[in-house]
Amino acid sequence: MQIKPTINRLGEQAILVQWDFNITTENLNWLLKVKEKLQLKLLKSKVQIINTYNSLLINYNNGIENIYTDFETLESYDFKVIDSEEFKGELYKLPVCYDVEFGLDLEELAQRNSLTTAEIIDLHTLPIYTLYFMGFLPGFLYLGGMDERLKISRKNEPRKSVLKGAVGIAENQTGIYPTSSPAGWQIIGNCPVELFNAENEHPCPFKAGDQIQFYSVSKQEYDTIKQQIEDEIFELKPESHA
Amino acid sequence: MPKVEVKKAGFYTTVQDLGRLNAAQYGVPRSGVMDSFSAKKANLLLNNPADAAVLEITMTGPTLLFQSKTQIAVCGAIFDMYLDECLISNAKAFQVEAGSVLRFSGLKQGFRAYLAIQQGFKTEVVLESRSQYQGITSASRLVNGEKLEIEALENSVIASARVNFEDQELFSNTIKTFRGLEFELLPQKLQKKLFTEKFKLTPAGNRMAIPFKELLPNDLKGILTGPVIPGTVQLTPKGNLIALMQDCQVTGGYPRVLQISERGLCKLAQKKPGETVTFQLSQFD
C-alpha cells in the first residue's frame, strides 16, 4: 500500500524520509515499524530517528561517515517489504476535570458549535486518541482522532499564560499543555497527570503509537489525584490489552 | 570540587555543550553551543573532549573568579579580556592561578564567545547534556554570585595544543545554505531573491530563532507539522524569514525554504542584531 517516499538531505547531518499518505493510525503504526527496521538493521550508523505524522527524520549527530551510503540504501530500498501487521501501542486513560474553573472556553465552544457542556465532555472523552509524536513543548502530545463536532479555531488573542495541564482544542486537534505556557488554544479542562519530567528515566510516560483516552473527573477527584501525585503514590498504568 | 565564582554574569551567559541529541523524541529542543566551531576549538586548545561544557558568552562578558588553578581558552567573538588586569588574547590556552580574576571588556568582533576550562564545567546533567534550557535545567542562564564546579587540575603542564590560524572567515557575511524541503514551492522570483538580497538580523533574535527584517510576501500554504532542526529557515505567510537556532522546537508548520550549513550556523551566531547576511546556495555532491 505504501508508495515510494521522498528522500531529502536536511543539512549535512540529517536525512528526511517523507511519505505522501493520510494521517491514520494504520499508517503511523507502519511508519513506526519502518523506524524500528531502519534503526536496528538497515542503516550502518547509530542514528537518532524521530517520526512525525508522515515522515522520519534521521539524525547523524554522532558522525556522518555513513550518510552517503545510507542515503543510497534508502533510495533503493523497497519499503513494501515491511508489512503493516499490528504495532501494539499501550492504552492509557487520563483524568480531565472539565469544571468551569479550568474550562475557560467551554462556554464559547458550546455557543459556537451549538453543544451543551455535557455533550462537549462526552464527545471529548469518547474517542481513543492516537499519540503521533511529541513536539512544540517538551511532553506536548500530538493526538489524532478528535470528533469533528469539537473543531474550533484558535483564540483571536492568545492568552499570556495557561495552567500546567490545560486541555485545549485548536482546529481538529486536542492537546494538553505540559507546562504553564502562553496559549492560543481554546481551553476546556485540566489534566492533573504529569506529562513531562526531565528528571525521570522516561521523561514522558508515553511514546509514539500509544493510545490515550480521557475520562471526566470532578473538582474533588481532581484535587485528590493532584495530592496523590504530590505524595508520589499516583500510578499511571497502561490498560491491559483486550 | 574546586569552583569558579561568577562575580558578574554578563548580558546572557549560559553553560552549553553539544546539546541533547536524543531528546527530540520527547519534544525537547536540542540546545547546545550556537557556534560549535569556536566551542570545539576552545576545547581542543585544552585537549578537552569536544563535548566538554563551555560558557557561551553573548555580547558582554562575565567576570569570573577562579578558586583553584586551572587552564582556560576563549574562542569565537573577540573581546578585550583581562586576566588579573593583564590583556590576554583570543584562541590561546592560558594557565590560571587560584584567586585569579578574568574580566571581559569591549566586544571587538563577532557576538558570541566560548570559554573552555580544563575538563569542562561540571554543572548538572539533564537528559544527557549540561546545556542550560528553561524548564529542563534548574537554571536557564548564569546569575551573579553563583559558583560553577570544575575539575581539580592534576598536573600543571600547560596544554600544548595550538590552533594557530586566523579565523576571519567566521565573521564574513556569506552564509552557506542548502535548498529547504519546501524550496521548490516558491515562485522562481522569490527563489532568486533568497540568494541575491541582503537580510538584516532583527533585535528579536535569540538562541531559539533569528528573524530577519526584509519581508518576502508569498502565498505559500502552511505545511503539515513536520520536523525542523537548528539551521532550518522558515518562511511565514506574512513573509518573515526566520532562521531556527539551537533552542528551536523539534517540529514546525511553516514552509522550510532553506537549510543553513553547520558552518553557516556558526557564522550566523556571530552576527549582531542590525548586521546583514547573504545566503549562498550550495548543493550536496
Side-chain angles (χ1 to χ4, degrees):
Chain A
M1 59 155 186
Q2 268 73 26
I3 50 158
K4 216 173 148 55
T6 315
I7 305 169
N8 282 295
R9 289 284 296 272
L10 189 58
E12 291 111 318
Q13 299 186 359
I15 298 174
L16 185 74
V17 190
Q18 191 172 314
W19 284 267
D20 185 18
F21 56 46
N22 292 328
I23 304 175
T24 64
T25 306
E26 291 71 33
N27 284 336
L28 173 71
N29 290 344
W30 181 81
L31 195 64
L32 294 173
K33 279 201 73 178
V34 175
K35 174 179 163 182
E36 199 179 273
K37 172 100 179 172
L38 294 184
Q39 231 151 9
L40 296 179
K41 291 202 182 124
L42 208 54
L43 301 180
K44 287 176 86 175
S45 302
K46 192 180 178 308
V47 291
Q48 292 96 28
I49 306 182
I50 61 158
N51 74 285
T52 59
Y53 291 114
N54 64 346
S55 66
L56 296 175
L57 176 69
I58 310 170
N59 281 303
Y60 287 78
N61 301 308
N62 298 329
I64 57 167
E65 303 84 52
N66 298 315
I67 199 164
Y68 286 94
T69 43
D70 280 352
F71 192 91
E72 283 169 14
T73 306
L74 289 166
E75 283 213 305
S76 59
Y77 189 71
D78 181 9
F79 285 92
K80 279 195 218 105
V81 304
I82 299 179
D83 59 47
S84 45
E85 84 187 49
E86 277 295 275
F87 173 99
K88 205 77 181 162
E90 306 281 4
L91 169 64
Y92 291 91
K93 296 204 170 180
L94 289 181
V96 173
C97 178
Y98 298 90
D99 192 275
V100 282
E101 180 185 335
F102 298 122
L104 308 174
D105 301 311
L106 275 175
E107 204 170 308
E108 184 178 338
L109 177 61
Q111 269 182 14
R112 280 171 56 181
N113 292 20
S114 307
L115 296 164
T116 65
T117 304
E119 285 170 335
I120 292 173
I121 296 171
D122 279 349
L123 290 175
H124 198 250
T125 52
L126 204 60
I128 291 178
Y129 300 97
T130 301
L131 169 55
Y132 282 85
F133 57 93
M134 284 169 243
F136 172 48
L137 292 168
F140 186 90
L141 316 175
Y142 278 81
L143 299 175
M146 194 184 74
D147 193 294
E148 286 286 317
R149 284 168 284 182
L150 292 175
K151 192 171 164 178
I152 186 167
S153 56
R154 288 175 172 77
K155 306 291 290 178
N156 287 334
E157 278 291 317
R159 290 192 170 88
K160 287 209 175 68
S161 174
V162 296
L163 291 178
K164 172 179 176 173
V167 176
I169 295 179
E171 302 303 338
N172 54 1
Q173 294 195 80
T174 185
I176 309 164
Y177 286 90
T179 52
S180 175
S181 158
W185 290 31
Q186 307 278 356
I187 304 302
I188 62 166
N190 194 286
C191 172
V193 176
E194 191 162 59
L195 298 177
F196 181 83
N197 186 337
E199 310 273 300
N200 294 347
E201 192 196 344
H202 300 288
C204 177
F206 321 115
K207 59 186 185 309
D210 280 344
Q211 298 184 310
I212 306 281
Q213 189 171 24
F214 299 120
Y215 64 95
S216 172
V217 295
S218 66
K219 180 68 189 8
Q220 205 178 356
E221 290 167 308
Y222 174 94
D223 290 336
T224 308
I225 297 170
K226 201 91 186 165
Q227 189 60 50
Q228 287 172 345
I229 290 169
E230 206 167 294
D231 299 341
E232 295 177 11
I233 52 170
F234 180 83
E235 225 185 316
L236 183 70
K237 275 196 297 209
E239 305 287 311
S240 47
H241 286 297
Chain B
M1 258 185 161
K3 291 185 174 71
V4 174
E5 188 181 338
V6 180
K7 304 295 270 185
K8 281 186 196 160
F11 169 68
Y12 197 90
T13 307
T14 58
V15 177
Q16 298 290 341
D17 53 22
L18 299 182
R20 300 189 168 80
L21 303 178
N22 211 9
Q25 57 181 317
Y26 307 116
V28 177
R30 183 180 300 179
S31 300
V33 289
M34 296 267 278
D35 172 1
S36 59
F37 191 88
S38 299
K40 284 177 184 169
K41 187 168 144 188
N43 274 327
L44 186 66
L45 283 166
L46 302 179
N47 295 326
N48 282 350
D51 62 352
V54 299
L55 295 186
E56 181 176 278
I57 292 158
T58 315
M59 198 166 74
T60 69
T63 301
L64 304 172
L65 166 64
F66 299 89
Q67 296 186 338
S68 75
K69 190 173 185 173
T70 185
Q71 289 176 25
I72 58 164
V74 181
C75 292
I78 297 170
F79 284 89
D80 280 334
M81 295 180 288
Y82 296 89
L83 184 60
D84 293 326
E85 298 309 312
C86 251
L87 190 65
I88 62 167
S89 57
N90 185 280
K92 195 164 181 261
F94 285 92
Q95 177 123 336
V96 174
E97 301 301 325
S100 286
V101 172
L102 176 69
R103 184 169 65 80
F104 283 71
S105 181
L107 172 61
K108 297 169 96 171
Q109 200 168 21
F111 196 52
R112 291 181 171 91
Y114 294 87
L115 185 148
I117 199 157
Q118 197 166 54
Q119 297 303 313
F121 289 93
K122 301 297 173 189
T123 52
E124 62 174 334
V125 177
V126 184
L127 295 171
E128 301 170 22
S129 164
R130 300 183 201 272
S131 292
Q132 291 186 316
Y133 180 77
Q134 183 149 31
I136 300 293
T137 50
S138 51
S140 56
R141 57 198 276 189
L142 296 196
V143 293
N144 294 347
E146 81 172 285
K147 295 183 174 118
L148 307 168
E149 291 192 343
I150 57 169
E151 286 289 325
L153 185 60
E154 280 166 20
N155 54 54
S156 60
V157 181
I158 186 139
S160 57
R162 278 175 201 278
V163 185
N164 242 347
F165 57 91
E166 284 277 315
D167 192 16
Q168 280 306 312
E169 205 267 338
L170 179 65
F171 302 118
S172 87
N173 299 321
T174 313
I175 308 287
K176 180 177 152 185
T177 65
F178 306 99
R179 283 191 182 87
L181 295 157
E182 279 74 48
F183 179 82
E184 304 299 336
L185 300 181
L186 286 171
Q188 280 207 334
K189 218 175 112 189
L190 281 186
Q191 292 187 357
K192 206 176 153 210
K193 256 190 162 176
L194 278 175
F195 303 114
T196 48
E197 297 255 304
K198 285 182 173 172
F199 292 96
K200 190 185 226 178
L201 283 77
T202 71
N206 55 31
R207 284 188 41 90
M208 202 182 222
I210 295 179
F212 297 96
K213 187 165 173 267
E214 293 71 19
L215 292 179
L216 293 177
N218 65 91
D219 40 26
L220 291 195
K221 290 198 176 68
I223 57 163
L224 179 65
T225 299
V228 294
I229 58 173
T232 302
V233 181
Q234 298 178 317
L235 182 62
T236 71
K238 283 185 181 160
N240 292 101
L241 206 57
I242 301 169
L244 300 181
M245 304 305 281
Q246 291 303 129
D247 283 348
C248 70
Q249 296 175 6
V250 301
T251 55
Y254 293 129
R256 299 157 286 189
V257 293
L258 294 174
Q259 182 67 40
I260 298 173
S261 67
E262 297 298 318
R263 175 70 171 162
L265 261 177
C266 299
K267 290 163 76 173
L268 184 55
Q270 291 300 349
K271 290 278 162 284
K272 303 174 189 69
E275 289 190 290
T276 59
V277 295
T278 54
F279 297 114
Q280 185 183 51
L281 179 61
S282 186
Q283 281 175 37
F284 291 107
D285 310 327

